[in-house]
Amino acid sequence: MLEIIEMIIKALLKKYNITEESIKKLGPTGRARVVAYILMPTLILFLLITALYKGWLGVDLERAFAISELKTVVTEGGIVSPRRGVVIIAEPIDYNYLIPIARNNSEIWSALTEDDVRSNKDMKHNVDNLSLGSDELKVATSFYGVSEPVAIVVEGELGKEIKFRGRREPMDDWRLSSRRNANLAFWPLAICFLAYGIAVVRGAPIIEPDQHDASQVGAEPDKE
Amino acid sequence: MAGLVVAALLGLSLFIVHFSLRARPMPKDHPLNVDDGLPLPELAQSSTVFSLTGLFGAYLGIAIALGLPALTGLAFGTVLGLFIVRYWIDSTLKRADPSGKKRFETFLFRLLESKGKRNATAYAFMLAGAQCVYATCELLIFRELAKAALGLRPEQATLLAIGVGVMGYFYVLFGGYMAVFRTDVVQLGLVSVMAVVCSAVLLYHYSWAEWTTRLLPRPGFWEPPFLAPGPWLYPVHFGIAAVMGLGQMLASPDTWKRVFQVSKKRRRPSTRGVILVCVGTLPYLVLLPIAIAISINTEGPIRKGVTQARAVADNSVFAVTALGLVASFLSAFTSALLASVHIQLMLRRKRVGDELEEAGFYWRMVAALVTIGILFVGALYAFNDPSPNRFNNPWLLGNMLMGVYAAIAGVQAGTRGDISRLPKNSLPVIFALVISGWLLYFFNSPGFSKEPTIYSVNTVPMGVGFFFVTALLSRFFIFGGRKYARNHRDDNQSPS
């Protein structure tokens, strides 16, 4: 990653003919302007994108799944009674996790077709991409042959922590959130990039035309 | 939909800034020396009090816990503060340059006149630093409100706060005061719409009987040991809140600029007075229904008491609330950032003289942003950890800041807004003593709580106490300094 960034920076510096000397030529105001308009916002947006990508500051956009807890059932006569269950929306991202579901009825109801279920069951090695134990649901995404999110429903009581390889995380961090809220969080970020674009244009130093550039010759033919 | 509307607002404001600045660019020599052409400063004035820290921090806590007597005191103190600031600016400008053209920078520069460099440096450092911390508090509280009022997940709220904060930086960088004042007009309009909608929703949901009971102070707040609970406490509450409202106006450079702009316009004194009263009281009228509607269990942490209102489930109410919060945050954030940078620029001018300040402006913008960024990330880790026995109180930093405001306002009151009265190198000593005292008190106070609690409001009387102590200490140093100078002069003269 760093090598790619270094390569891009070097290529950009070369393309725009930015050398130590040309930086010195900018003068104190020009240098400050470049830092305030370009370098500082670039650094912040770079950190922000890295945070989104790596999950720093608790920001993790590419969530492999979301959980919603089912609590009641309403019968035909309008009688409300408690019934516990869990809905999992599993994204087609490579991820392994165990969701604690106690007192379950050993049934998984999912959006996978019968064919998909068979493809994701390795009978020989007794390994399933989707299986339910006595108190845990094991999910290993992405599922073979499935490129869309998959809804999974299991009856039972949801536990407090999800197990991943080498760590545990609180259930609350993985609950389903409203799309309206996600929109509210991301749209301003898009405008930030628009502002960044304006800042780069405003802050970029004016490049003096090269006196010996052949393309300049004849630009004003009436003058010598 | 709400996200798109917020984005449209931010984009529109960005283009307002961009195109208005093309017509009227910032002066290259002194980028913040802009007093002409700033639209409707009287409207923007209210935004100082409309800040999230004010509205949803201390002021809301006071309104909920202490009801109408304290809220009236806050409004009175704020209006009084605006008048005092106006008088202070007028008299300082007359002293600084009796015949010259009145400029805000002349006033700000005159403020840093002092005996010795250290006094001016300490003063500027405190003012600029307080504004940076204030901007950080805005970010933290905005994040918390996005979670509590709009139902955002923590990471979404963090992202929203950072995104809008970065936009605030670009506004100030592109356009300085012109950008802040122009966007403030749009932002205040949106905050007002939010206030009207929220008030209407609250009026619809709550009966008048509940309203009247909630206008009275609750037991356990601001009860001096020598006074039994009863109606005779109301004047005490009024007085404490009035000093707090006054202190915030005295210590806020953003308020000074806006009062200067309002005073600059050629109007009859009575009209000017009415405007100051209106802009001072408006935010409290907005606060009242919100304070009455929010039912907080005073025994438990606040987070459990404030839940997402059912009305926000409606898309339009959600959009209006989101817009209002974003607008309120942006306005207060940009004002604090700009105030901090302006004070730093004046200190630079004091040191290196009145030369080209464009580079200085850019460097100070970067420095302020880095400071705010570090404080925000640090506070996020230190004060927003939901694990047991860790701090999960985003209001903590704002509460701590009250002592700094008390110290600054106390120095203003003690020196009558002229730190050149203080003897050489005395201001760092005053600040060090008062801030140390405040921190010692604060770490043992109800404000230093792991979970947000309404009892943190009980730190306000002590904050007011620190204001008076600082004012007295400043007076003491002034008199002590004069006596020392007189004795020293006498000693020097006696041999001859």
Side-chain angles (χ1 to χ4, degrees), chain B residues 49-80:
Chain B
V49 195
F50 261 126
S51 75
L52 297 176
T53 310
L55 263 186
F56 296 99
Y59 290 175
L60 182 63
I62 289 172
I64 293 167
L66 292 134
L68 205 54
L71 200 63
T72 323
L74 274 176
F76 174 77
T78 304
V79 173
L80 183 67

Side-chain angles (χ1 to χ4, degrees), chain A residues 30-211:
Chain A
R31 278 198 295 270
R33 198 178 166 85
V34 168
V35 172
Y37 275 89
I38 303 173
L39 293 185
M40 193 62 201
T42 307
L43 180 70
I44 287 176
L45 293 176
F46 174 74
L47 286 175
L48 205 59
I49 291 168
T50 317
L52 292 174
Y53 187 71
K54 296 261 184 185
W56 298 346
L57 293 172
V59 178
D60 184 6
L61 289 187
E62 294 191 354
R63 292 195 158 252
F65 62 97
I67 292 174
S68 183
E69 203 174 350
L70 306 174
K71 290 172 183 167
T72 53
V73 66
V74 185
T75 57
E76 205 179 325
I79 300 162
V80 182
S81 54
R83 193 196 288 180
R84 299 281 167 178
V86 183
V87 179
I88 298 133
I89 311 287
E91 295 283 335
I93 297 172
D94 289 346
Y95 228 71
N96 285 337
Y97 45 93
L98 291 173
I99 300 172
I101 305 173
R103 285 195 282 278
N104 62 66
N105 61 0
S106 307
E107 275 181 10
I108 303 173
W109 186 17
S110 78
L112 294 172
T113 63
E114 287 165 53
D115 254 6
D116 291 338
V117 173
R118 271 194 289 275
S119 319
N120 284 284
K121 208 178 207 25
D122 187 347
M123 303 297 272
K124 206 170 170 185
H125 298 98
N126 197 21
V127 176
D128 292 346
N129 279 347
L130 184 64
S131 61
L132 186 62
S134 59
D135 53 2
E136 267 174 348
L137 173 73
K138 186 198 155 200
V139 187
T141 49
S142 52
F143 297 116
Y144 290 113
V146 182
S147 59
E148 286 159 2
V150 174
I152 302 159
V153 182
V154 176
E155 220 177 300
E157 272 193 37
L158 187 63
K160 300 265 182 220
E161 284 180 327
I162 302 175
K163 288 179 199 164
F164 299 93
R165 285 187 199 280
R167 70 182 200 280
R168 289 161 186 261
E169 282 188 21
M171 192 66 69
D172 286 344
D173 288 357
W174 292 89
R175 286 187 193 275
L176 193 64
S177 78
S178 147
R179 275 200 219 171
R180 183 176 72 170
N181 296 350
N183 264 338
L184 184 62
F186 297 120
W187 271 105
L189 209 59
I191 300 297
C192 271
F193 280 92
L194 176 70
Y196 174 62
I198 296 176
V200 170
V201 173
R202 286 176 68 107
I206 298 156
I207 299 165
E208 295 291 333
D210 190 349
Q211 298 286 319

Side-chain angles (χ1 to χ4, degrees), chain A residues 16-18 21-27 29-31 33-34 37-38 199-210, chain B residues 28 358 362:
Chain A
Y16 291 104
N17 199 19
I18 300 169
E21 215 167 279
S22 62
I23 292 169
K24 274 182 191 164
K25 261 189 205 168
L26 285 175
T29 306
R31 278 198 295 270
R33 198 178 166 85
V34 168
Y37 275 89
I38 303 173
V200 170
V201 173
R202 286 176 68 107
I206 298 156
I207 299 165
E208 295 291 333
D210 190 349
Chain B
K28 288 225 181 269
E358 198 185 356
Y362 296 140

